[in-house]
Amino acid sequence: MAIEVKNIVKTFGSFAALDDVDLKVADGELLALLGPSGSGKTTLLRIIAGLDWPDSGEVAIDGENALTRGASERQVGFVFQHYALFRHMTVFENVAFGLRVQPRAVRKDEATIRARVKELLDLVQLDWLANRYPSQLSGGQRQRIALARALAIEPRILLLDEPFGALDAKVRKELRQWLRSLHNEIHVTSIFVTHDQEEALEVANRVVVMDKGKIEQIGSPGEVYDNPATAFVHGFIGESIVLPVDVAGDAVRLDGRPLNIPALGAASGAAKLFVRRHDMAIGPAGSGALDGAIRHVRSFGPIQRAEVALAGDAGKTVIEIDAPRDRELQAGEIVSLQPRRYRIFAAQD
Ligand code: ADP
Ligand code: MG
């Protein structure tokens, strides 16, 4: 089912948790909503689910106004960060629950319910845990059961609010891949909320980046990483070196010294230069835009990460750059840095 959200505003007192949000989710898509804590992700998800209502704006599911319908009528499956499994019920009964409490008119017979639960447990690859209780499962297993339970009622939409947020890093990574392949199998329209940029880029085909109740950018993982639309997106996705600069026409200056890089159309005035760590080329002193001294080098895997104190402001500005390991860098070395790819955003952005 396609979802369309238009001009949604939601305030709590005088605070705007959602400030004119527009979003289209295509049928069968797995979309990530990514933003820092407090950016409005859960509020938006609750409004789509029918657990909360906006002050103004529209929500349509499959072209129909959803705001006149309550949560149960919208046929939405929900998975939260904190597993909400019933502790006194087995895994099997937890998954069966939604089917057993359906109105009598649509309720399936016992044999059909049992077959459906078996199918769902197979789908999440945990059929062997059917008779266990939630306390006998790992965190990752509980979340997979929570998902099976959400899918039991054959939801038209699946909403996942930081479902892996409470799990440790290794399990989270496994579950990302698991969720992707599960979605490839069932293709239910899904919105996956996370504050973890790596998780969003790995799980979804499209990423919606939110900050302070507004959508900053919508794009593929490649687009939001390589072509961030705003300073916020550049800083939030992937780690960035950020330097305060001054733009005058096509000239860019740092601390009054020319950087010899074009302004790429940035407006004149105070601005910020954003460079990914691996997009800062490092060469012999005098060769690039920024001179500095290496303070510290750590090498791991294919890269060396160097802390470089920039010349010109008494070494107060220290940046970290990632270089390939073709030549070992040394602490104390005087080097020159040249941004290969960069973006310049006006300072107030
Ligand atoms: P996120 O899920 O991105 O962390 P939320 O949608 O939960 O953000 O919250 C967005 C903002 O709205 C936060 O500042 C939060 O404190 C506020 N907020 C959310 N729900 C309520 C509420 N019921 N009452 C008051 N403020 C709320
Ligand atoms: Mg939240």
Side-chain angles (χ1 to χ4, degrees):
M1 296 291 151
I3 306 169
E4 187 164 3
V5 166
K6 266 195 209 158
N7 305 118
I8 292 287
V9 173
K10 175 70 182 176
T11 53
F12 294 107
S14 60
F15 174 80
L18 293 175
D19 186 2
D20 199 15
V21 168
D22 279 315
L23 178 63
K24 282 185 189 173
V25 189
D27 183 33
E29 183 174 22
L30 171 55
L31 180 95
L33 265 190
L34 169 67
S37 175
S39 55
K41 307 180 298 293
T42 295
T43 304
L44 181 56
L45 221 57
R46 287 174 55 82
I47 287 171
I48 293 171
L51 298 171
D52 207 344
W53 268 261
D55 302 350
S56 59
E58 297 167 30
V59 177
I61 298 176
D62 200 24
E64 272 181 34
N65 179 9
L67 293 177
T68 55
R69 293 165 186 268
S72 58
E73 284 177 286
R74 291 190 204 178
Q75 283 177 272
V76 169
F78 222 119
V79 179
F80 303 94
Q81 174 171 349
H82 293 287
Y83 4 87
L85 297 179
F86 301 118
R87 294 168 50 188
H88 61 286
M89 286 185 193
T90 62
V91 162
F92 189 97
E93 286 306 318
N94 264 284
V95 177
F97 181 79
L99 299 170
R100 294 205 194 287
V101 298
Q102 280 187 320
R104 196 174 289 275
V106 294
R107 197 185 307 156
K108 311 271 191 299
D109 62 58
E110 180 64 18
T112 310
I113 290 178
R114 297 194 77 81
R116 175 82 185 129
V117 172
K118 169 84 175 59
E119 203 179 286
L120 286 160
L121 289 176
D122 283 344
L123 181 71
V124 300
Q125 297 159 351
L126 292 177
D127 49 317
W128 52 287
L129 293 176
N131 297 319
R132 299 252 187 112
Y133 286 86
S135 63
Q136 299 170 306
L137 307 181
S138 71
Q141 289 168 340
R142 278 183 223 168
Q143 287 308 71
R144 283 154 68 182
I145 297 300
L147 205 102
R149 196 178 61 169
L151 291 172
I153 55 155
E154 295 178 49
R156 302 192 297 166
I157 292 167
L158 186 61
L159 303 176
L160 304 137
D161 194 355
E162 313 230 12
F164 309 145
L167 306 173
D168 64 55
K170 186 163 175 290
V171 178
R172 290 177 73 126
K173 244 185 134 60
E174 287 165 10
L175 286 184
R176 281 176 211 170
Q177 289 157 5
W178 172 83
L179 182 67
R180 270 200 76 91
S181 51
L182 181 83
H183 183 263
N184 283 341
E185 223 169 300
I186 59 176
H187 285 297
V188 57
T189 308
S190 306
I191 304 181
F192 178 91
V193 163
T194 179
H195 65 269
D196 177 335
Q197 42 110 0
E198 204 181 300
E199 191 168 85
L201 301 189
E202 260 182 54
V203 163
N205 310 319
R206 245 173 13 121
V207 179
V208 176
V209 186
M210 290 186 68
D211 183 39
K212 299 196 183 95
K214 284 183 184 291
I215 291 179
E216 292 271 317
Q217 187 170 5
I218 303 178
S220 67
E223 282 161 358
V224 295
Y225 188 92
D226 290 327
N227 285 310
T230 64
F232 174 81
V233 177
H234 206 309
F236 191 67
I237 295 184
E239 289 174 272
S240 303
I241 298 162
V242 187
L243 294 168
V245 293
D246 197 68
V247 177
D250 201 34
V252 183
R253 277 196 278 251
L254 174 70
D255 267 338
R257 286 166 295 132
L259 279 182
N260 298 322
I261 56 173
L264 304 179
S268 290
K272 284 179 179 164
L273 170 70
F274 284 77
V275 191
R276 302 271 183 226
R277 278 180 184 154
H278 59 268
D279 283 334
M280 193 70 105
I282 190 161
S287 64
L290 295 158
D291 285 336
I294 296 181
R295 294 223 308 209
H296 185 70
V297 183
R298 279 172 293 153
S299 295
F300 42 88
I303 64 152
Q304 27 186 355
R305 180 160 296 168
E307 271 178 32
V308 181
L310 298 184
D313 65 348
K316 279 198 301 255
T317 305
V318 178
I319 63 175
E320 284 192 318
I321 63 129
D322 287 346
R325 295 183 70 175
D326 46 7
R327 184 181 71 81
E328 296 294 319
L329 300 169
Q330 305 293 334
E333 215 178 302
I334 304 298
V335 293
S336 193
L337 306 175
Q338 177 69 38
R340 270 186 294 251
R341 282 167 62 95
Y342 59 93
R343 301 292 296 261
I344 297 171
F345 294 103
Q348 68 271 19
D349 272 5

